[in-house]
Amino acid sequence: MHVSFCLPTECYLFHKTAETPPQKETIKHSVWRCSICTYDNDETMSSCDICGVLHGPLLNNSIYDKKRTANIFDLKSSRVSSTVVGRDEAVKVSSMRSDSSNQSTEKGKHNRLDEINILKNIEVGPPAGSRTSDNCSASVQEGWLGHVDESSVAVNLRSSGKSSLSLMPKERNVMVDDSSSSRNGGEANSLTSNLENISFAAKSGHSNDANPGRAISRAQYKPEKWMLPEKAEQSLTQLNLAIVGHVDSGKSTLSGRLLHLLGRISQKEMHKYEKEAKLQGKGSFAYAWALDESAEERERGITMTVAVAYFDSKRYHVVVLDSPGHKDFVPNMITGATQADASILVIDASIGSFEAGMDGTKGQTREHAQLIRSFGVDQLIVAVNKMDAVDYSKERFDLIISQLGAFLRSCGFKDSSVSWIPLSAVENQNLVSAPSDFRLFWYLGPNLLDAIDSFQPPTREFSKPLIMPICDVIKSPSQGQVSACGKLEAGAVRSGSKVLVMPSATIATVRSLERDSEACPIGRAGDNIAVSLNGIDGNHVMAGGVLCHPDFPIAFAKHLELKVLVLDGATPILIGSQLEFHIHHAKEAARVARISLLLDSKTGKVVKKAPRCILAKQSAVVEVILQEAVCVEEFSKCKVLGRVFLRTLGRTVAVGIVTRIVEEQQ
Ligand code: GTP
Ligand code: MG
């Protein structure tokens, strides 16, 4: 079975109105439309057939569903695949249409686990070991006055965003202090370095360890021998590679082409894709079809959910996470990207298209770049695609480097960690071998595959206590099984291991593990696995939750102090602003309850106390109150559970880190 990285997809539900777009099937009953994936669902469907989001009554006169787990973690299904996943075919990681799954089954390529249940209407109980934090971070003690009114928090939301411990190799701190931004005139200092600097400052004055349930420091943890990989058993290092970029830049085509060139898609299959794509008048999408498997995606010619595929390079077992570029699916993109060790940012070099991607309000190039950097990804290949459309012009390539390069520096990417590769996915230029088109004679650098092999191997937290944010849950009621899927960010598990399932704070026993669709004896940091659990009610396992070590429970809280950086071009954040709060695979409605300090975005020093708002490119210390509690840790203690980003009106407005858990859920 393949490990599914499913994500709960963002959807605001409403009943269909007259202007519903045409659907290929006649709709007999009344329908309700999902505003994110725009799919019109029959009224008999309790959840979106595409996204899997529940269609239910809205509570409390708000679009926010109080039954958080029902709304946030309602996965329609996961594309849980079979033995062949990773061999020949891409697999969707998100909730999938049943028809596409069926197609796969027909082909004999994927075995769905029996029935994949949706988690519905589960009330989340408070975790054990919860506590109230009574100490404040030294950096923010001043100005913390007054009270917070929680009553007006009401937005809706769900889904994900995190970055992993393993995405932060040691060099990163060095990099942060490196002067890529000062080389850039010091302008728009690295957002990540910013946040990390701030975080370290907070850490130094922080003595917030008063959690009775979490008294043992993670640093004191002594791993058992089996948890550490032995050199001999190490084969290829797994590299999670997120393919991101503006809509239609060619991400899926590039991924499909790469898989085909590397033998992961057979000639026969490719021929089939070509034929089918042509028949639907979408001939140019043949390679993309290998990744865009659902009828909806193919019909619309866009990727909607993250697809996963595998190939091996000389150094890595590469997990390709082909993300959607359309702005409506940024939350889906995030779930893939948050698991990334490195990323390929695909640029459409065509005249006007590169510019559209860079557009501050509509373009996704900038938002994707900012997001992946804020998740801790610092190794980037910029694949300048569709070079055939600009005659493989060096001038065009250089212009893209100069414009985008400056922006990437401002996001905190170090020049030496960014490779620029001109290529054409459609014409197969510079993907796995040197370009054959003479018009690319001027390019003497590595091809795409070589550039992938040049990535530094990700650092893994093998010897830390277990942390696995759950991005998907697979339930098989007939066999009474429940599996939690996700990327192991720290530690290791094996059959028989006891794990603490948060936020239900229930101990379960690991029954078995699967990695890359195959049973495996041990899962270690960096692995994407499905953990089958015994001794737990399936309703207590939910996406957005976390598997952790029983002696090291993570926090569950809704009142948090954050350090945030408002992104360039974003709308200001005010006291009282209602925002979407994303953290690893969870999403909540949040209200900005307090803006305590305005900080110098370069040094982290306090510029002003109690400002009224935070403008674009400013950073600040804020307190947020979430509608419902999430699994969280302070960034200084656990990066993957301490990175957040804030969105509103379909745009990411700020990235940040958790500096203090003001109050845990009891
Ligand atoms: P989303 O996932 O929806 O964001 O799109 P995408 O980035 O995956 O783009 P996709 O692969 O679906 O390709 C979009 C269009 O660009 C298709 O018509 C492709 O044929 C075309 N395309 C992709 N690569 C190239 C290329 O190298 N040259 C040219 N000329 N067209 C390309
Ligand atoms: Mg695509």
Side-chain angles (χ1 to χ4, degrees):
M1 186 201 72
H2 162 68
V3 175
S4 153
F5 295 48
C6 262
L7 56 155
T9 315
E10 174 178 30
C11 273
Y12 301 175
L13 309 177
F14 56 91
H15 284 276
K16 188 190 174 196
T17 52
E19 69 277 6
T20 305
Q23 292 295 307
K24 60 187 164 93
E25 288 163 21
T26 312
I27 298 165
K28 294 174 192 129
H29 312 285
S30 73
V31 293
W32 56 274
R33 189 172 65 172
C34 171
S35 66
I36 289 301
C37 70
T38 69
Y39 188 71
D40 286 344
N41 294 278
D42 190 279
E43 65 176 353
T44 57
M45 296 294 294
S46 60
S47 59
C48 176
D49 203 15
I50 296 290
C51 303
V53 172
L54 288 179
H55 175 225
L58 303 172
L59 304 181
N60 294 344
N61 292 328
S62 96
I63 52 174
Y64 185 85
D65 188 346
K66 272 280 192 188
K67 293 194 174 179
R68 168 177 178 273
T69 50
N71 200 0
I72 291 181
F73 307 131
D74 50 351
L75 301 175
K76 164 75 177 167
S77 70
S78 0
R79 184 59 163 300
V80 179
S81 62
S82 63
T83 49
V84 213
V85 172
R87 301 277 180 277
D88 310 331
E89 191 164 328
V91 179
K92 282 292 171 196
V93 287
S94 184
S95 23
M96 296 287 301
R97 292 188 62 163
S98 49
D99 58 5
S100 59
S101 308
N102 294 341
Q103 283 170 2
S104 302
T105 313
E106 274 166 36
K107 285 185 280 182
K109 296 223 167 139
H110 304 286
N111 299 327
R112 285 168 61 89
L113 281 190
D114 262 343
E115 289 173 46
I116 303 167
N117 256 8
I118 307 165
L119 293 174
K120 288 181 184 174
N121 303 322
I122 307 156
E123 292 287 5
V124 182
S130 60
R131 50 112 187 175
T132 301
S133 156
D134 42 12
N135 295 328
C136 294
S137 142
S139 61
V140 292
Q141 273 177 349
E142 290 181 65
W144 293 100
L145 303 168
H147 70 283
V148 175
D149 171 18
E150 297 183 30
S151 60
S152 61
V153 181
V155 186
N156 126 337
L157 337 157
R158 83 269 289 293
S159 192
S160 64
K162 68 120 184 56
S163 96
S164 78
L165 293 167
S166 57
L167 300 184
M168 296 299 293
K170 291 185 185 92
E171 314 85 81
R172 285 198 175 116
N173 295 341
V174 177
M175 178 213 120
V176 164
D177 291 335
D178 189 295
S179 52
S180 60
S181 38
S182 52
R183 264 184 272 128
N184 190 27
E187 196 242 337
N189 197 26
S190 151
L191 118 189
T192 308
S193 64
N194 239 323
L195 294 168
E196 287 177 5
N197 287 338
I198 294 165
S199 153
F200 298 145
K203 192 174 154 192
S204 61
H206 199 65
S207 58
N208 190 8
D209 277 331
N211 177 11
R214 303 193 290 131
I216 313 168
S217 151
R218 289 174 64 80
Q220 290 172 289
Y221 179 68
K222 295 266 181 298
E224 292 172 47
K225 200 169 167 232
W226 64 267
M227 295 175 64
L228 308 173
E230 287 174 25
K231 282 212 167 127
E233 82 182 64
Q234 276 180 342
S235 45
L236 290 175
T237 304
Q238 179 164 313
L239 184 84
N240 287 2
L241 185 61
I243 318 293
V244 301
H246 189 60
V247 66
D248 272 354
S249 53
K251 298 176 291 299
S252 304
T253 304
L254 180 62
S255 305
R257 189 89 202 212
L258 211 48
L259 293 169
H260 181 228
L261 288 168
L262 296 171
R264 295 287 169 169
I265 298 172
S266 70
Q267 198 57 46
K268 196 172 155 203
E269 281 169 312
M270 205 51 243
H271 188 68
K272 188 167 152 277
Y273 291 137
E274 275 166 11
K275 214 170 122 190
E276 288 171 359
K278 253 187 208 153
L279 270 175
Q280 278 201 28
K282 300 260 182 199
S284 70
F285 285 87
Y287 286 102
W289 276 32
L291 286 297
D292 296 338
E293 291 185 300
S294 76
E296 180 90 356
E297 286 179 312
R298 291 178 172 186
E299 205 170 85
R300 295 178 65 181
I302 60 167
T303 303
M304 292 160 69
T305 56
V306 180
V308 181
Y310 306 90
F311 67 81
D312 288 346
S313 67
K314 280 185 213 131
R315 287 181 75 194
Y316 294 115
H317 174 61
V318 180
V319 180
V320 177
L321 304 161
D322 177 36
S323 311
H326 194 284
K327 64 180 167 46
D328 285 354
F329 304 108
V330 170
N332 289 5
M333 167 269 172
I334 284 164
T335 287
T338 54
Q339 313 210 10
D341 299 309
S343 182
I344 298 180
L345 176 62
V346 182
I347 301 297
D348 181 343
S350 322
I351 307 295
S353 299
F354 164 65
E355 290 75 9
M358 290 293 283
D359 183 284
T361 50
K362 292 184 195 138
Q364 251 55 63
T365 302
R366 289 153 69 104
E367 185 172 13
H368 282 198
Q370 282 170 326
L371 284 172
I372 55 169
R373 184 65 193 95
S374 71
F375 300 149
V377 174
D378 65 356
Q379 302 191 77
L380 186 69
I381 291 172
V382 183
V384 183
N385 189 31
K386 306 198 189 179
M387 285 296 288
D388 54 291
V390 292
D391 252 352
Y392 295 96
S393 157
K394 181 174 185 314
E395 288 67 38
R396 182 70 175 161
F397 183 66
D398 288 343
L399 178 132
I400 290 170
I401 292 182
S402 72
Q403 292 190 7
L404 181 58
F407 179 75
L408 293 178
R409 267 180 237 119
S410 78
C411 295
F413 286 101
K414 195 163 74 163
D415 280 357
S416 58
S417 299
V418 179
S419 314
W420 300 82
I421 318 279
L423 50 84
S424 167
V426 158
E427 297 198 346
N428 183 20
Q429 291 299 317
N430 216 11
L431 298 192
V432 299
S433 55
S436 55
D437 195 302
F438 73 95
R439 289 171 294 176
L440 258 182
F441 72 93
W442 50 266
Y443 178 74
L444 301 172
N447 61 52
L448 182 64
L449 191 61
D450 288 342
I452 291 170
D453 266 333
S454 303
F455 280 134
Q456 290 299 312
T459 305
R460 306 292 190 203
E461 305 272 2
F462 296 120
S463 53
K464 291 273 174 68
L466 173 72
I467 293 272
M468 190 186 100
I470 303 170
C471 66
D472 191 16
V473 176
I474 304 158
K475 292 164 87 181
S476 174
S478 58
Q479 293 174 22
Q481 279 178 21
V482 59
S483 294
C485 303
K487 181 182 170 196
L488 262 176
E489 297 290 354
V493 281
R494 62 178 175 178
S495 302
S497 296
K498 297 271 184 226
V499 295
L500 180 66
V501 183
M502 295 293 286
S504 63
T506 315
I507 303 267
T509 307
V510 175
R511 184 173 174 273
S512 59
L513 301 172
E514 290 193 18
R515 177 174 177 256
D516 288 6
S517 313
E518 283 167 16
C520 67
I522 299 175
R524 296 197 174 92
D527 292 343
N528 298 298
I529 54 171
V531 183
S532 170
L533 298 168
N534 268 347
I536 187 166
D537 179 341
N539 290 338
H540 289 151
V541 188
M542 58 200 68
V546 176
L547 294 189
C548 55
H549 190 291
D551 294 340
F552 299 88
I554 52 119
F556 186 59
K558 62 179 179 181
H559 188 174
L560 305 169
E561 176 197 285
L562 313 175
K563 300 263 169 83
V564 296
L565 178 66
V566 178
L567 300 179
D568 193 4
T571 49
I573 293 181
L574 312 169
I575 296 169
S577 287
Q578 307 267 344
L579 299 164
E580 299 168 19
F581 174 93
H582 295 248
I583 187 163
H584 53 96
H585 298 290
K587 179 163 83 171
E588 273 304 328
R591 186 175 69 92
V592 177
R594 177 185 299 274
I595 306 176
S596 312
L597 303 169
L598 198 61
L599 305 171
D600 183 304
S601 56
K602 287 175 193 156
T603 64
K605 289 201 177 121
V606 176
V607 175
K608 192 176 176 188
K609 286 181 189 166
R612 288 178 154 212
C613 66
I614 326 165
L615 305 177
K617 289 159 87 171
Q618 289 185 334
S619 43
V621 177
V622 301
E623 271 188 55
V624 291
I625 308 280
L626 312 184
Q627 176 78 18
E628 297 290 338
V630 293
C631 292
V632 60
E633 275 295 358
E634 288 155 12
F635 180 82
S636 59
K637 291 180 183 163
C638 180
K639 287 182 176 129
V640 69
L641 299 179
R643 284 185 198 279
V644 301
F645 61 98
L646 305 173
R647 306 190 85 226
T648 185
L649 301 173
R651 298 291 302 184
T652 305
V653 288
V655 295
I657 56 175
V658 177
T659 49
R660 189 165 62 98
I661 295 167
V662 180
E663 186 177 351
E664 276 192 39
Q665 290 301 103
Q666 295 300 319

